Amino acid sequence: MTAMESEYPVRLEIDPAASQNRLTVFFRPILAIPHWIILAFLGIAAFFVWLFASLSIVVTARYPEGLLRFSTGVARWATRVGAYGGSPNQQDIGSATVFFVTGGFLTDKYPPFTLDEAPDYPIRLHVQQQVEGRNRLTGFFPVRIIMLIPHGIVLIILGVFVTLATIVAWLGGTVLGGLPEWLHNFIAGYTRWSTRVSVYFGLLVDEYPPFSFN
């Protein structure tokens, strides 16, 4: 049995905290914009793949292999970019819409423009892909959405603290040229947790994600 088979089928490896360029930290969310533009278009395609995959799993208990590779690639790309420049979020507060960035600043290395694995990049998402024998019940996406409500509640609450931590990370990285280890580990833990939930929501795996920063 391999390490991947003995663990949860989604593993996000994040290198330890390291020094970063103060200038690129300051402009980090802007530097990530080209990636987010591409990912916006890839996300549209991934959405339709997600709907088709749900239907395929319910009917045939199978996630088409080529589509699974594509969705996994989008997840890898988005995870690398989110860990580099943060994930853009939108919240409606009363009649106002507030935009902010959650996570990020975990590495100073610019992410590659690729759906493939990047073994040398400091952020590495590994997904144990399962094509056959998928769970028909949880493959029906409304069921999966309901199942993730507990995770959603916890992540929303944690997201408030991560947003504050991201602001501190941006200011601290700009001034100090890097994140303190405790701050890096906190943001990394939240990123691992939210990534597992996103991958499960995306139907890439059937195993329910753990409530864990590890």
Side-chain angles (χ1 to χ4, degrees):
M1 179 177 292
T2 66
M4 271 302 283
E5 291 171 338
S6 63
E7 302 172 354
Y8 187 72
V10 178
R11 187 175 76 252
L12 179 59
E13 297 176 348
I14 300 175
D15 285 357
S19 61
Q20 301 190 36
N21 184 293
R22 294 179 176 86
L23 185 62
T24 62
V25 170
F26 183 79
F27 291 105
R28 186 69 53 79
I30 297 175
L31 293 172
I33 288 177
H35 279 282
W36 287 119
I37 292 174
I38 296 172
L39 284 168
F41 289 100
L42 289 173
I44 295 173
F47 172 74
F48 288 104
V49 168
W50 177 69
L51 292 177
F52 179 81
S54 178
L55 177 62
S56 177
I57 291 171
V58 170
V59 175
T60 69
R62 186 178 188 276
Y63 195 130
E65 185 174 359
L67 297 182
L68 182 56
R69 285 199 303 269
F70 170 76
S71 296
T72 302
V74 173
R76 289 193 199 103
W77 192 334
T79 300
R80 288 191 294 257
V81 177
Y84 170 80
S87 301
N89 290 273
Q90 173 181 334
Q91 292 290 330
D92 293 321
I93 303 176
S95 59
T97 300
V98 178
F99 293 88
F100 58 90
V101 174
T102 299
F105 307 103
L106 296 178
T107 179
D108 194 40
K109 188 174 181 180
Y110 198 73
F113 289 82
T114 179
L115 296 171
D116 297 329
E117 292 188 2
D120 296 332
Y121 193 72
I123 314 297
R124 299 171 295 277
L125 176 63
H126 304 282
V127 179
Q128 183 179 328
Q129 299 181 17
Q130 181 184 358
V131 174
E132 307 287 348
R134 300 299 301 270
N135 189 307
R136 296 175 188 264
L137 177 60
T138 63
F140 186 45
F141 68 86
V143 173
R144 192 156 292 206
I145 291 172
I146 294 172
M147 293 177 64
L148 283 177
I149 289 176
H151 276 284
I153 293 172
V154 176
L155 288 175
I156 287 174
I157 296 172
L158 289 174
V160 175
F161 297 100
V162 173
T163 299
L164 296 175
T166 301
I167 296 173
V168 174
W170 177 67
L171 293 173
T174 300
V175 175
L176 303 175
L179 275 63
E181 184 177 0
W182 66 269
L183 184 58
H184 174 92
N185 291 341
F186 175 66
I187 296 176
Y190 178 88
T191 302
R192 291 191 188 96
W193 188 337
S194 61
T195 297
R196 287 192 298 262
V197 171
S198 296
V199 170
Y200 179 78
F201 176 73
L203 304 173
L204 301 185
V205 298
D206 284 339
E207 290 80 359
Y208 194 73
F211 290 78
S212 172
F213 278 87
N214 297 322

